[in-house]
């Protein structure tokens, strides 16, 4: 039987009751700390007005590992849908299945709001104090006091021994520290936006294959669809902000339907609510955050507040959950020494955050353009055969998605693999011949030796 944690007198405060904030609160409560979470939104378990503001999430190994450490993985996976690969749609309605992994490992589609509710319920059951409808007004970085306005207009102060800013890409905590402490943040806005749409179930059944991530790659833009447990799909349309095919040029119902008839004709028949959703749902922005340091004294940033990334690798949540797991390991190893814990946390996680940001930005081109490119498809075919022949050879996607290998280490290996594959692809014309394959194997042996 697991022993009960030793209760600490230290008061810990988390700003943000989203996915990372709620999971972090569970970890800290498990460590025996008194934890309070402050959130500016209403309680999402009672309020369902966030529709259209989030992309369905792809939960993979790193996130599952973090959930396992607090006994939450099984409960979460019950509401997830496995996805075994990409299903690519061309403009004629034909599809190609591209498996994620040769061993049939999969990622999991899950609703952000449903996952958030599950984590908040668990946090509350562990004694975490959850406070909603609080608009943060001031952070005293030296006294570690936060002043917030309540729903009725009053002011309330909260002090803590340790404060974590888990309040997302537009973090109040980070912005306050930027003004008053030596924290520098640089945001890079992508010239794209996104719109959440829906493909409803048809008589209770999925309109599309429900065990894959659907992509309609159209060069400089794309549509994706992730399955839900009820047979529906949450779709995300990624378009440039400006240009010929862009959010700027879709102003009428006719503009919208012309876009879909020209580029997504096989799916428009299933989207009865397209017009209402497109013009009523907000247009989201896409940006990457480069921030450092992540801490000032006993105040630290975590998740998107420290390292927001674009969603094209499906690793934003997984990276944030991994933050929580690594931080928990550091707390266990150095309990009570917050100076060392927080310093080790930021120095170990920052290079990995930078690496996954690079992967995520690059993956937009892969998803929107390269997945239908002949050379790309041939390269994937060669990599699959190499993986069978050389078990120690792991493709980039496998390392990022199905292992705990630090993202920064993956990046170094990928840069090496890319140089190797550049040599391999010189022999692509002879890939199917015995002599050509022997030459490719010789190149690989030299690189992995």
């Amino acid at each position: 039987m697991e022993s009960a944690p030793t209760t600490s007198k230290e008061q810990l405060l988390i700003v943000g009751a989203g996915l990372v904030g709620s999971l972090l609160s569970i970890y800290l409560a498990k460590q025996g700390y008194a934890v309070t979470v402050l959130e500016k939104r209403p309680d999402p378990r009672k309020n369902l007005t966030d529709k259209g503001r989030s992309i369905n999430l792809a939960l993979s190994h790193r996130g599952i590992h973090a959930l396992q450490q607090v006994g939450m993985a099984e409960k979460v996976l019950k509401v997830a849908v496995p996805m075994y690969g990409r299903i690519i749609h061309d403009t004629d309605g034909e599809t190609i299945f591209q498996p994620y992994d040769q061993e049939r490992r999969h990622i999991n589609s899950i609703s952000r709001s449903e996952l958030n509710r599950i984590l908040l319920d668990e946090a509350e059951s562990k004694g975490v104090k959850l406070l909603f409808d609080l608009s943060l007004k001031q952070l005293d970085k030296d006294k570690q006091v936060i002043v917030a306005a309540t729903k009725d207009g009053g002011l309330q102060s909260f002090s803590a021994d340790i404060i974590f800013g888990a309040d997302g890409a537009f973090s109040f905590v980070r912005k306050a520290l930027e003004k008053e402490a030596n924290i520098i943040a640089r945001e890079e806005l992508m010239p794209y936006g996104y719109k959440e749409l829906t493909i409803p179930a048809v008589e209770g059944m999925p309109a599309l294959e429900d065990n894959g991530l659907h992509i309609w790659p159209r060069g400089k833009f794309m549509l994706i669809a992730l399955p839900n447990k009820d047979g529906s799909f949450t779709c995300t349309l990624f378009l440039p902000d400006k240009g010929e095919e862009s959010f700027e040029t879709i102003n009428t119902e006719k503009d919208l339907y012309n876009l879909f008839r020209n580029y997504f004709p096989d799916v428009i028949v299933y989207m009865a609510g397209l017009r209402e959703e497109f013009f009523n749902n907000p247009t989201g922005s896409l940006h990457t955050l480069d921030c450092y340091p992540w801490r000032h004294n006993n105040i630290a940033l975590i998740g998107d507040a420290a390292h927001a990334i674009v969603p094209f690798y499906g690793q934003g949540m997984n990276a944030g959950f991994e933050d929580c797991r690594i931080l928990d390991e550091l707390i266990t190893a150095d309990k009570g020494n917050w100076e060392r814990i927080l310093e080790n946390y930021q120095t170990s996680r920052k290079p990995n955050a930078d690496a996954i940001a690079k992967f995520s930005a690059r993956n937009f081109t892969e998803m929107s353009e390269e997945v239908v490119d002949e050379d790309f498809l041939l390269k994937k075919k060669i990599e699959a055969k190499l993986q069978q022949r050389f078990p120690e050879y792991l493709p980039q996607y496998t390392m990022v998605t199905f292992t705990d290998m630090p993202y920064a280490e993956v990046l170094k290996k990928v840069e090496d693999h890319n140089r190797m594959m550049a040599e391999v692809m010189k022999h692509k014309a002879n890939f199917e011949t015995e002599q050509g394959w022997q030459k490719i194997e010789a190149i690989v042996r030299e690189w992995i030796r």
Side-chain angles (χ1 to χ4, degrees):
M1 181 181 295
E2 185 179 348
S3 60
T6 303
T7 302
S8 169
K9 292 182 180 179
E10 288 178 302
Q11 300 293 313
L12 273 60
L13 190 65
I14 299 172
V15 177
L19 300 177
V20 172
S22 53
L23 180 61
L24 178 61
S25 74
I26 296 168
Y27 266 103
L28 295 176
K30 186 170 176 278
Q31 286 278 5
Y33 294 107
V35 184
T36 300
V37 180
L38 309 182
E39 173 57 55
K40 68 178 180 180
R41 300 171 301 162
D43 190 334
R45 296 169 294 178
K46 303 172 185 176
N47 182 286
L48 303 177
T49 59
D50 274 352
K51 183 173 174 58
R53 290 190 177 273
S54 67
I55 301 169
N56 251 41
L57 302 166
L59 177 64
S60 56
H61 173 81
R62 295 170 196 268
I64 294 169
H65 188 183
L67 291 167
Q68 286 171 334
Q69 299 306 105
V70 289
M72 292 296 296
E74 185 177 352
K75 184 182 291 187
V76 168
L77 289 172
K78 283 181 180 177
V79 299
V81 181
M83 300 185 294
Y84 292 91
R86 296 167 173 166
I87 300 173
I88 310 301
H89 296 247
D90 67 19
T91 51
D92 295 324
E94 298 297 318
T95 61
I96 300 171
F97 178 72
Q98 297 176 358
Y100 285 131
D101 184 74
Q102 295 303 305
E103 298 179 23
R104 201 168 158 73
R105 287 177 288 197
H106 62 273
I107 61 178
N108 303 274
S109 173
I110 189 166
S111 159
R112 177 188 295 271
S113 57
E114 189 162 9
L115 177 55
N116 202 177
R117 290 194 290 271
I118 290 170
L119 293 176
L120 287 172
D121 283 344
E122 179 70 10
E124 204 161 52
S125 75
K126 293 292 187 258
V128 175
K129 189 176 183 180
L130 303 173
L131 302 176
F132 298 93
D133 291 306
L134 291 170
S135 178
L136 276 59
K137 299 297 182 184
Q138 184 180 347
L139 168 64
D140 187 321
K141 63 179 177 56
D142 299 315
K143 295 181 180 178
Q144 294 174 195
V145 172
I146 287 178
V147 178
T150 61
K151 196 173 182 180
D152 60 9
L155 294 177
Q156 195 169 353
S157 293
F158 301 89
S159 61
D161 298 290
I162 309 293
I163 296 175
F164 288 100
D167 47 341
F170 303 102
S171 169
F172 167 87
V173 176
R174 186 187 71 247
K175 290 183 183 299
L177 292 177
E178 283 180 61
K179 292 178 181 178
E180 299 184 21
N182 190 30
I183 286 185
I184 300 172
R186 184 177 70 254
E187 296 180 58
E188 184 177 346
L189 189 65
M190 204 175 174
Y192 281 79
Y194 69 86
K195 186 82 71 168
E196 185 181 288
L197 307 168
T198 306
I199 299 173
V202 179
E203 297 182 352
M205 299 296 292
L208 307 171
E209 164 60 47
D210 64 346
N211 286 122
L213 189 157
H214 294 260
I215 308 177
W216 290 258
R218 299 299 182 256
K220 299 302 180 185
F221 59 97
M222 66 178 172
L223 177 72
I224 68 171
L226 278 73
N228 296 306
K229 270 289 191 182
D230 63 0
S232 68
F233 288 79
T234 298
C235 303
T236 310
L237 175 65
F238 295 97
L239 278 178
D241 295 326
K242 298 181 179 181
E244 186 176 352
E245 306 291 1
S246 67
F247 282 113
E248 180 186 49
T249 58
I250 302 178
N251 298 303
T252 66
E253 182 177 340
K254 182 179 178 181
D255 297 334
L256 175 63
Y257 280 95
N258 280 343
L259 177 80
F260 271 75
R261 288 191 189 101
N262 289 335
Y263 295 102
F264 315 116
D266 61 328
V267 76
I268 192 173
V269 295
Y270 302 119
M271 304 178 77
L274 176 60
R275 180 181 62 81
E276 290 78 9
E277 288 187 325
F278 185 90
F279 290 109
N280 291 334
N281 287 349
T283 303
S285 61
L286 299 167
H287 70 281
T288 300
L289 171 72
D290 181 17
C291 169
Y292 203 75
W294 291 1
R295 60 167 292 231
H296 173 78
N297 296 334
N298 281 354
I299 303 173
L301 305 171
I302 193 166
D304 280 358
H307 51 76
I309 58 177
V310 290
F312 303 117
Y313 221 118
Q315 285 294 303
M317 171 191 65
N318 293 288
F321 281 8
E322 191 172 61
D323 284 350
C324 297
R325 180 178 67 80
I326 298 300
L327 178 62
D328 180 68
E329 291 174 0
L330 293 169
I331 292 171
T332 299
D334 241 333
K335 195 75 174 272
N337 189 339
W338 283 104
E339 171 74 22
R340 193 154 56 199
I341 290 167
L342 296 181
E343 186 59 30
N344 288 339
Y345 156 70
Q346 72 169 0
T347 54
S348 67
R349 292 302 290 163
K350 170 62 174 169
N352 294 304
D354 291 346
I356 192 55
K358 289 179 182 178
F359 282 132
S360 299
R362 292 174 187 173
N363 219 43
F364 175 74
T365 302
E366 179 173 317
M367 292 177 70
S368 64
E369 299 181 41
E370 293 177 354
V371 288
V372 291
D373 178 78
E374 288 185 5
D375 268 5
F376 175 85
L377 295 174
L378 178 58
K379 181 180 174 183
K380 290 296 181 185
K381 190 175 180 180
I382 293 172
E383 284 184 334
K385 192 170 179 179
L386 287 174
Q387 194 176 5
Q388 292 174 347
R389 179 67 180 83
F390 301 97
E392 63 270 46
Y393 173 82
L394 296 178
Q396 172 183 311
Y397 192 87
T398 297
M399 290 187 286
V400 169
T401 309
F402 300 119
T403 78
D404 288 317
M405 188 183 299
Y407 292 123
E409 184 179 336
V410 175
L411 183 60
K412 290 178 182 176
K413 287 181 178 291
V414 166
E415 289 169 348
D416 207 33
H417 283 181
N418 286 344
R419 289 190 290 271
M420 180 193 76
M421 286 305 295
E423 291 297 313
V424 166
M425 291 299 284
K426 291 177 182 178
H427 304 276
K428 65 181 182 181
N430 301 315
F431 164 55
E432 299 289 359
T433 70
E434 183 177 348
Q435 185 178 8
W437 181 248
Q438 287 176 351
K439 181 63 177 175
I440 288 172
E441 282 196 343
I443 292 170
V444 176
R445 285 195 194 95
E446 184 67 25
W447 278 89
I448 65 177
R449 189 172 58 188

